């Protein structure tokens, strides 16, 4: 039911009246600290995603993305390491507040739904989680380089289930921070590099065009 509702919301993005559209392809490599009832486990996540967005008349950007993740959840003394193949759908709202020709504040709010199965033959564990994120950054641009320090808050509510039952998890610490570097190759296209630390640490590289 949650997945069907989210898919409906994603499809409704196309109803917005657009001033311009944007597309992006993103590659990410993250280590995420997941807290279970019996302790912390580290999830290593490699992902690919495609983003499509529209800017409505108010200046608010409305976007959606879908993607694939390969996830390894490290084991401990009582739990084996598991590997999952997952997919996700995500919607987001982004608002920029220009404060001059080269300086602005940026806000982002997103919701994502993720699910998948263990990549083994036979009885396979399943994983499912929802993720709500809020982020704020301050960007400044010098020639063809834009630099944006940011801080983010992420809430994860998920579980892993198999023949022995299920185990719920959440982020050990919801806060992360880091910096984005956007290198413009022309007036509408840039390559973005994002580095962050916290309970979700690692990096992203994205190829973006916004009209």
């Amino acid at each position: 039911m949650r997945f069907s509702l989210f898919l409906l919301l994603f499809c409704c993005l196309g109803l917005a009246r657009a001033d311009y559209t944007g597309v992006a392809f993103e590659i990410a490599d993250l280590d995420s600290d997941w807290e279970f009832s019996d302790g912390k486990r580290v999830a290593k996540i490699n992902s690919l995603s495609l983003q499509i967005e529209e800017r409505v008349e108010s200046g608010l950007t409305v976007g959606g993305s879908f993607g694939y993740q390969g996830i390894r959840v490290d084991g401990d003394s009582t739990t084996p390491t598991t590997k999952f193949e997952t997919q996700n759908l995500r919607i987001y709202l982004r608002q920029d507040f220009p404060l001059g020709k080269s300086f602005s504040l940026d806000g982002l709010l997103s919701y994502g739904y993720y699910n998948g199965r263990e990549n083994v033959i036979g009885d396979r564990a399943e994983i499912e989680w929802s993720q709500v994120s809020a982020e704020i950054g301050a960007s400044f641009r010098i020639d063809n380089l834009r630099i944006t320090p940011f801080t983010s808050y992420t809430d994860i509510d998920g579980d892993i289930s198999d023949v022995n039952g299920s185990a719920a998890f959440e982020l050990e610490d919801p806060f992360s921070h880091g910096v984005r570097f956007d290198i413009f190759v022309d007036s509408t296209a840039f390559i973005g590099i994002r580095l962050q630390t916290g309970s979700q640490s690692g990096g992203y590289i994205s190829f973006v065009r916004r009209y």
Side-chain angles (χ1 to χ4, degrees), residues 34 36-42 72-84 118 125 160-162 164-169:
W34 288 355
F36 292 80
S37 60
D38 57 354
K40 183 184 77 172
R41 299 173 66 187
V42 176
R72 188 186 80 194
V73 183
D74 288 345
D76 52 29
S77 59
T78 61
T79 308
T81 295
T82 50
K83 296 180 179 180
F84 298 91
E118 191 177 8
I160 296 174
S161 58
D162 56 22
N164 298 314
S166 62
F169 63 86

Side-chain angles (χ1 to χ4, degrees), residues 86-98:
T86 71
Q87 53 280 321
N88 76 283
L89 288 173
R90 176 174 166 262
I91 56 175
Y92 60 89
L93 303 173
R94 189 181 69 251
Q95 182 74 62
D96 300 331
F97 303 95

Side-chain angles (χ1 to χ4, degrees), residues 61 109 151 192:
T61 296
L109 180 65
T151 186

Side-chain angles (χ1 to χ4, degrees), residues 130-164:
S130 60
Q131 179 170 313
V132 177
S133 298
E135 180 177 302
I136 188 167
S139 66
F140 57 95
R141 182 169 174 174
I142 305 172
D143 295 327
N144 67 334
L145 176 64
R146 182 170 60 199
I147 303 173
T148 309
F150 67 87
T151 186
S152 64
Y153 173 90
T154 302
D155 179 72
I156 286 179
D157 179 17
D159 63 76
I160 296 174
S161 58
D162 56 22
V163 294
N164 298 314

Side-chain angles (χ1 to χ4, degrees), residues 108-111 131-136 150-156 170-177 194 196-197 200:
L108 180 72
L109 180 65
S110 69
Y111 171 83
Q131 179 170 313
V132 177
S133 298
E135 180 177 302
I136 188 167
F150 67 87
T151 186
S152 64
Y153 173 90
T154 302
D155 179 72
I156 286 179
E170 60 185 13
L171 274 181
E172 182 187 38
D173 179 359
F175 291 98
S176 297
H177 59 275
R194 173 185 171 115
Q196 67 181 58
T197 61
Q200 290 185 308

